[in-house]
Amino acid sequence: MTTIYGDVNGIRKSIINRLEELYEFTIPFGQVITNELAQKLIDLTDDLNRELVVYITRKGQVTCVAVGDVYTVILPEVDGRRSVNRLSGIRCIHTHPSGETELSGVDIASLKEMRFDLMAALGRKDEMIQASFGIITNIENDQFNTQMIGPLSIDEFIELDITYLTAQIERQLDLNTKTSAIAEPERALLVGVERQGKWRITDSLKELAQLAETAGAEVLGMTWQKRDRPDSALFIGRGKVQEISLLRQEKNVNLIIFDDELSPAQQRNLEKALGIKVLDRTALILDIFAQRARSHEGKLQVELAQLRYNLPRLGGQGLVLSRLGGGIGTRGPGETKLEVDRRRIRERVSDITKQIEYIKKQRNLHRKRRETTRIPTIALVGYTNAGKSTLLNLLTASEVLAEDKLFATLDPTTRNITLTNGQQALITDTVGFIQKLPHQLIAAFRATLEEVVQADILLHVVDVSHPQYQEQSHAVFQVLHELNVDIKQLITIFNKADKVEDSNSVSALLKTENSVMISALHGHGIEGLLLLIENAIKQKTIEMHLLIPYDESNVIAKLYDISNVHSTEYREDGIYVSISLSPDQTNYFNRYAIGVEQE
């Protein structure tokens, strides 16, 4: 009597024997399937032109082999655990003769009804075996929610840690069963590696703690290790991983945050070793940006950065698992949820890139209009929480959001400023910089940072009360260098002077070229800042006094187009005009000049 389930009529004995040999396979602990078993299933599917199904237990044993027709296969009942917050303990892997691996409605219904640990479909396309799979993510109103992933290469599918994945799913089901009203608070442990550099590890971890608290986590502790270079597999040493595992249990933390960017493999290995969610500094910053984005452009830029960050992590369980429990590292900036499918992610990246390019073109049009009016442009740059928005409000009598939080400003804000000499200018508040700023963010926010690139003058705001203000300044200049704007005319503004008690340090700071000490909160030192801005603008222009003959009055219209016209006086011998314009525009008007003054 055969042990093969389903429709076996007409199948040769030799094929039946090959099917029965599938029971002899044993899958290594934690591995979803082996290459050899996947190849056997696909080869048999090609020979039969029918769907095949295998059930695999958590011990890696094949307990059922079934055959169906080309359209479907009747799945045998599962003899597994049926508690509402437990999966069956069985993963169902079946084949699609068509080569397509997308799960059907019947597949998804079976996943929910049988509570499989995982429902996967295999297919061969262009001589390559691919896989797609579905998992139960949580339960709401007695209904299971599911998530589909794929198609993946067979190697990527094999990388999936099925043991850790099912443990996380059941943990989430248990949480959903106990309460659906309040999500479990995120209690974080911070981890860093101390290497040679300007930043002390304690200061860097304190900043990471600020970031974590901004994102909504409670920081319960921090630890670090001295290493010349990170471990390729775990970032830190194995002994430190064991120490962190004990700390995790002692402090009852449910989130580990690393102070540097982890590779996808390091993140997967750490999650497997520690048994809880692991994030890096980049994912944390991206999450804060996702919460802070308000404008359509800002949301697009954050989503683009998240997609580029998550794409290389799609091969393992990191992204899938992070979606199960929600919380830091899982939030999206807009209505569109991240699709964990490589093809769809690439399509979305392409779509967002086109939208951002369109926005960039619109910005360029607005910028060209501003250029025709010859209004100087100023950009505020600086470390996050240095006081840029507070200064913008003071200079322009605006009410831009200014909070004592990291990344309080995400979307750029441009306002008009009138200097003491009557000169008009446009000043833009930009997103704050930070050490180890993710490259994905710099790339994604390049359209926004165009305001910095195109500005005539940069105002570098420094929080002089911060103990690491010099290191923060260095981090800002690194980003400016990456944007190729570190050679622009720059005014250094030492802000929060009211918090500095050491008069000697104040005197030393004021020796910095083209700098001023202020308190944006209390308005101290603003007169000196305005004077520096006026001088900086004058250095970029030449003032001329012209006498235009009446028969050449059309020149006046041109002057209004390309220069700032300060005054016009109609006299008997012609039109007297006082203007300021850029040096490259002066040659044409020299013949009308009655006085030229360069300041």
Side-chain angles (χ1 to χ4, degrees), residues 55-87:
Y55 284 179
I56 303 173
T57 67
R58 291 185 181 177
K59 293 181 179 180
Q61 298 172 339
V62 177
T63 60
C64 172
V65 179
V67 181
D69 56 31
V70 72
Y71 301 108
T72 185
V73 62
I74 298 174
L75 301 175
E77 287 292 327
V78 173
D79 182 19
R81 295 172 292 172
R82 308 300 291 171
S83 170
V84 68
N85 56 354
R86 289 289 181 269
L87 300 175

Short mmCIF file of all heavy atoms in Angstrom, two decimals, residues 55-87:
data_model
loop_
_atom_site.label_atom_id
_atom_site.label_comp_id
_atom_site.label_asym_id
_atom_site.label_seq_id
_atom_site.Cartn_x
_atom_site.Cartn_y
_atom_site.Cartn_z
N TYR A 55 4.75 17.85 3.63
CA TYR A 55 4.64 18.43 4.96
C TYR A 55 5.95 18.15 5.69
O TYR A 55 6.43 17.00 5.69
CB TYR A 55 3.50 17.79 5.75
CG TYR A 55 2.11 18.24 5.38
CD1 TYR A 55 1.00 17.71 6.03
CD2 TYR A 55 1.88 19.20 4.40
CE1 TYR A 55 -0.29 18.11 5.69
CE2 TYR A 55 0.61 19.60 4.06
CZ TYR A 55 -0.48 19.05 4.72
OH TYR A 55 -1.75 19.45 4.38
N ILE A 56 6.50 19.16 6.36
CA ILE A 56 7.76 19.01 7.09
C ILE A 56 7.53 19.48 8.52
O ILE A 56 7.00 20.57 8.75
CB ILE A 56 8.89 19.81 6.44
CG1 ILE A 56 9.08 19.38 4.98
CG2 ILE A 56 10.20 19.65 7.21
CD1 ILE A 56 10.06 20.25 4.20
N THR A 57 7.93 18.65 9.51
CA THR A 57 7.76 19.01 10.91
C THR A 57 8.89 19.94 11.35
O THR A 57 9.86 20.16 10.62
CB THR A 57 7.78 17.77 11.80
OG1 THR A 57 9.10 17.20 11.77
CG2 THR A 57 6.76 16.74 11.33
N ARG A 58 8.77 20.44 12.57
CA ARG A 58 9.81 21.32 13.10
C ARG A 58 11.11 20.56 13.40
O ARG A 58 12.15 21.17 13.58
CB ARG A 58 9.31 22.04 14.36
CG ARG A 58 8.21 23.05 14.03
CD ARG A 58 7.77 23.85 15.22
NE ARG A 58 6.70 24.76 14.85
CZ ARG A 58 6.07 25.56 15.69
NH1 ARG A 58 6.40 25.57 16.98
NH2 ARG A 58 5.10 26.36 15.28
N LYS A 59 11.02 19.24 13.45
CA LYS A 59 12.22 18.43 13.61
C LYS A 59 12.90 18.15 12.27
O LYS A 59 13.95 17.50 12.23
CB LYS A 59 11.89 17.11 14.30
CG LYS A 59 11.43 17.27 15.74
CD LYS A 59 11.14 15.91 16.37
CE LYS A 59 10.72 16.08 17.83
NZ LYS A 59 10.41 14.77 18.47
N GLY A 60 12.28 18.65 11.18
CA GLY A 60 12.88 18.48 9.87
C GLY A 60 12.50 17.18 9.18
O GLY A 60 13.12 16.81 8.18
N GLN A 61 11.45 16.49 9.67
CA GLN A 61 11.03 15.23 9.08
C GLN A 61 9.89 15.45 8.08
O GLN A 61 8.97 16.22 8.34
CB GLN A 61 10.56 14.26 10.17
CG GLN A 61 11.66 13.89 11.16
CD GLN A 61 11.12 13.10 12.34
OE1 GLN A 61 9.94 13.14 12.63
NE2 GLN A 61 12.01 12.37 13.01
N VAL A 62 9.96 14.75 6.94
CA VAL A 62 8.88 14.78 5.96
C VAL A 62 7.82 13.78 6.41
O VAL A 62 8.08 12.57 6.49
CB VAL A 62 9.39 14.42 4.55
CG1 VAL A 62 8.23 14.40 3.56
CG2 VAL A 62 10.46 15.43 4.11
N THR A 63 6.63 14.26 6.73
CA THR A 63 5.57 13.38 7.27
C THR A 63 4.46 13.11 6.27
O THR A 63 3.60 12.27 6.53
CB THR A 63 4.94 14.01 8.53
OG1 THR A 63 4.37 15.29 8.18
CG2 THR A 63 5.99 14.19 9.61
N CYS A 64 4.46 13.83 5.16
CA CYS A 64 3.39 13.62 4.18
C CYS A 64 3.88 14.03 2.80
O CYS A 64 4.53 15.07 2.64
CB CYS A 64 2.14 14.43 4.58
SG CYS A 64 0.85 14.42 3.33
N VAL A 65 3.56 13.19 1.79
CA VAL A 65 3.80 13.51 0.39
C VAL A 65 2.48 13.32 -0.34
O VAL A 65 1.85 12.27 -0.22
CB VAL A 65 4.88 12.61 -0.23
CG1 VAL A 65 5.08 12.97 -1.70
CG2 VAL A 65 6.19 12.73 0.54
N ALA A 66 2.03 14.34 -1.07
CA ALA A 66 0.74 14.27 -1.74
C ALA A 66 0.87 14.73 -3.18
O ALA A 66 1.73 15.55 -3.52
CB ALA A 66 -0.30 15.13 -1.01
N VAL A 67 -0.02 14.21 -4.07
CA VAL A 67 -0.02 14.52 -5.50
C VAL A 67 -1.40 15.07 -5.87
O VAL A 67 -2.42 14.55 -5.44
CB VAL A 67 0.26 13.26 -6.34
CG1 VAL A 67 0.27 13.60 -7.83
CG2 VAL A 67 1.58 12.62 -5.94
N GLY A 68 -1.40 16.12 -6.68
CA GLY A 68 -2.66 16.66 -7.18
C GLY A 68 -2.62 16.79 -8.68
O GLY A 68 -1.69 16.29 -9.33
N ASP A 69 -3.61 17.48 -9.28
CA ASP A 69 -3.56 17.71 -10.72
C ASP A 69 -2.86 19.03 -10.98
O ASP A 69 -2.34 19.67 -10.06
CB ASP A 69 -4.96 17.68 -11.33
CG ASP A 69 -5.90 18.69 -10.68
OD1 ASP A 69 -5.43 19.76 -10.23
OD2 ASP A 69 -7.09 18.40 -10.62
N VAL A 70 -2.85 19.47 -12.24
CA VAL A 70 -2.11 20.67 -12.61
C VAL A 70 -2.69 21.92 -11.97
O VAL A 70 -2.02 22.93 -11.81
CB VAL A 70 -2.07 20.81 -14.15
CG1 VAL A 70 -3.44 21.20 -14.69
CG2 VAL A 70 -1.01 21.82 -14.58
N TYR A 71 -3.96 21.87 -11.55
CA TYR A 71 -4.62 23.05 -11.01
C TYR A 71 -4.57 23.12 -9.48
O TYR A 71 -4.47 24.18 -8.90
CB TYR A 71 -6.07 23.12 -11.48
CG TYR A 71 -6.19 23.15 -12.97
CD1 TYR A 71 -6.66 22.04 -13.67
CD2 TYR A 71 -5.83 24.28 -13.69
CE1 TYR A 71 -6.75 22.06 -15.07
CE2 TYR A 71 -5.92 24.31 -15.08
CZ TYR A 71 -6.38 23.20 -15.75
OH TYR A 71 -6.46 23.22 -17.12
N THR A 72 -4.66 21.98 -8.84
CA THR A 72 -4.76 22.01 -7.38
C THR A 72 -4.31 20.70 -6.81
O THR A 72 -4.02 19.75 -7.52
CB THR A 72 -6.21 22.33 -6.94
OG1 THR A 72 -6.23 22.46 -5.52
CG2 THR A 72 -7.16 21.21 -7.32
N VAL A 73 -4.24 20.63 -5.51
CA VAL A 73 -3.92 19.39 -4.81
C VAL A 73 -4.73 19.38 -3.52
O VAL A 73 -4.88 20.41 -2.87
CB VAL A 73 -2.41 19.28 -4.51
CG1 VAL A 73 -1.95 20.37 -3.61
CG2 VAL A 73 -2.09 17.93 -3.90
N ILE A 74 -5.31 18.24 -3.20
CA ILE A 74 -6.11 18.13 -1.99
C ILE A 74 -5.15 17.89 -0.83
O ILE A 74 -4.43 16.90 -0.79
CB ILE A 74 -7.14 17.00 -2.09
CG1 ILE A 74 -8.11 17.30 -3.24
CG2 ILE A 74 -7.90 16.84 -0.77
CD1 ILE A 74 -9.08 16.18 -3.51
N LEU A 75 -5.13 18.81 0.13
CA LEU A 75 -4.19 18.71 1.23
C LEU A 75 -4.75 17.82 2.33
O LEU A 75 -5.90 18.00 2.74
CB LEU A 75 -3.91 20.11 1.80
CG LEU A 75 -3.31 21.12 0.82
CD1 LEU A 75 -3.20 22.47 1.49
CD2 LEU A 75 -1.98 20.66 0.30
N PRO A 76 -3.98 16.87 2.81
CA PRO A 76 -4.44 16.06 3.94
C PRO A 76 -4.52 16.89 5.21
O PRO A 76 -3.86 17.93 5.32
CB PRO A 76 -3.36 14.98 4.05
CG PRO A 76 -2.16 15.55 3.38
CD PRO A 76 -2.66 16.48 2.32
N GLU A 77 -5.32 16.44 6.16
CA GLU A 77 -5.46 17.16 7.42
C GLU A 77 -4.15 17.13 8.20
O GLU A 77 -3.36 16.21 8.09
CB GLU A 77 -6.58 16.55 8.27
CG GLU A 77 -7.98 16.85 7.76
CD GLU A 77 -8.33 18.31 7.89
OE1 GLU A 77 -7.88 18.96 8.85
OE2 GLU A 77 -9.05 18.82 7.02
N VAL A 78 -3.95 18.17 9.00
CA VAL A 78 -2.74 18.27 9.82
C VAL A 78 -3.05 17.79 11.23
O VAL A 78 -4.04 18.20 11.83
CB VAL A 78 -2.24 19.73 9.87
CG1 VAL A 78 -1.09 19.87 10.85
CG2 VAL A 78 -1.81 20.19 8.49
N ASP A 79 -2.21 16.92 11.73
CA ASP A 79 -2.32 16.49 13.12
C ASP A 79 -1.30 17.27 13.92
O ASP A 79 -0.20 16.82 14.22
CB ASP A 79 -2.05 14.98 13.24
CG ASP A 79 -2.21 14.49 14.68
OD1 ASP A 79 -2.86 15.21 15.47
OD2 ASP A 79 -1.67 13.42 14.99
N GLY A 80 -1.64 18.50 14.23
CA GLY A 80 -0.69 19.38 14.93
C GLY A 80 -1.37 20.13 16.05
O GLY A 80 -2.53 19.88 16.38
N ARG A 81 -0.64 21.09 16.68
CA ARG A 81 -1.20 21.86 17.79
C ARG A 81 -2.23 22.85 17.26
O ARG A 81 -2.00 23.52 16.27
CB ARG A 81 -0.06 22.61 18.50
CG ARG A 81 0.93 21.69 19.17
CD ARG A 81 2.12 22.48 19.69
NE ARG A 81 2.91 23.02 18.59
CZ ARG A 81 3.93 23.87 18.77
NH1 ARG A 81 4.23 24.29 19.98
NH2 ARG A 81 4.61 24.32 17.75
N ARG A 82 -3.36 22.96 17.93
CA ARG A 82 -4.45 23.78 17.41
C ARG A 82 -4.84 24.91 18.34
O ARG A 82 -5.89 25.52 18.16
CB ARG A 82 -5.69 22.89 17.14
CG ARG A 82 -5.41 21.67 16.29
CD ARG A 82 -4.87 22.03 14.93
NE ARG A 82 -5.88 22.68 14.10
CZ ARG A 82 -5.63 23.24 12.93
NH1 ARG A 82 -4.37 23.28 12.47
NH2 ARG A 82 -6.59 23.80 12.23
N SER A 83 -4.06 25.21 19.38
CA SER A 83 -4.36 26.33 20.26
C SER A 83 -4.42 27.61 19.44
O SER A 83 -3.70 27.75 18.44
CB SER A 83 -3.31 26.44 21.35
OG SER A 83 -3.46 27.64 22.08
N VAL A 84 -5.25 28.55 19.87
CA VAL A 84 -5.47 29.76 19.07
C VAL A 84 -4.18 30.57 18.89
O VAL A 84 -4.04 31.28 17.89
CB VAL A 84 -6.57 30.64 19.73
CG1 VAL A 84 -6.08 31.23 21.05
CG2 VAL A 84 -7.01 31.75 18.78
N ASN A 85 -3.26 30.47 19.84
CA ASN A 85 -2.02 31.24 19.73
C ASN A 85 -0.83 30.36 19.38
O ASN A 85 0.31 30.69 19.67
CB ASN A 85 -1.74 32.01 21.03
CG ASN A 85 -1.69 31.10 22.24
OD1 ASN A 85 -1.98 29.91 22.13
ND2 ASN A 85 -1.35 31.67 23.38
N ARG A 86 -1.09 29.21 18.76
CA ARG A 86 -0.05 28.30 18.32
C ARG A 86 -0.27 27.90 16.88
O ARG A 86 -1.41 27.73 16.43
CB ARG A 86 -0.01 27.03 19.19
CG ARG A 86 0.52 27.27 20.60
CD ARG A 86 2.02 27.55 20.56
NE ARG A 86 2.56 27.76 21.89
CZ ARG A 86 2.65 28.93 22.50
NH1 ARG A 86 2.21 30.02 21.89
NH2 ARG A 86 3.17 29.04 23.70
N LEU A 87 0.82 27.74 16.14
CA LEU A 87 0.74 27.23 14.77
C LEU A 87 0.71 25.70 14.82
O LEU A 87 0.87 25.09 15.89
CB LEU A 87 1.94 27.73 13.98
CG LEU A 87 2.07 29.25 13.86
CD1 LEU A 87 3.38 29.62 13.15
CD2 LEU A 87 0.89 29.86 13.13
#
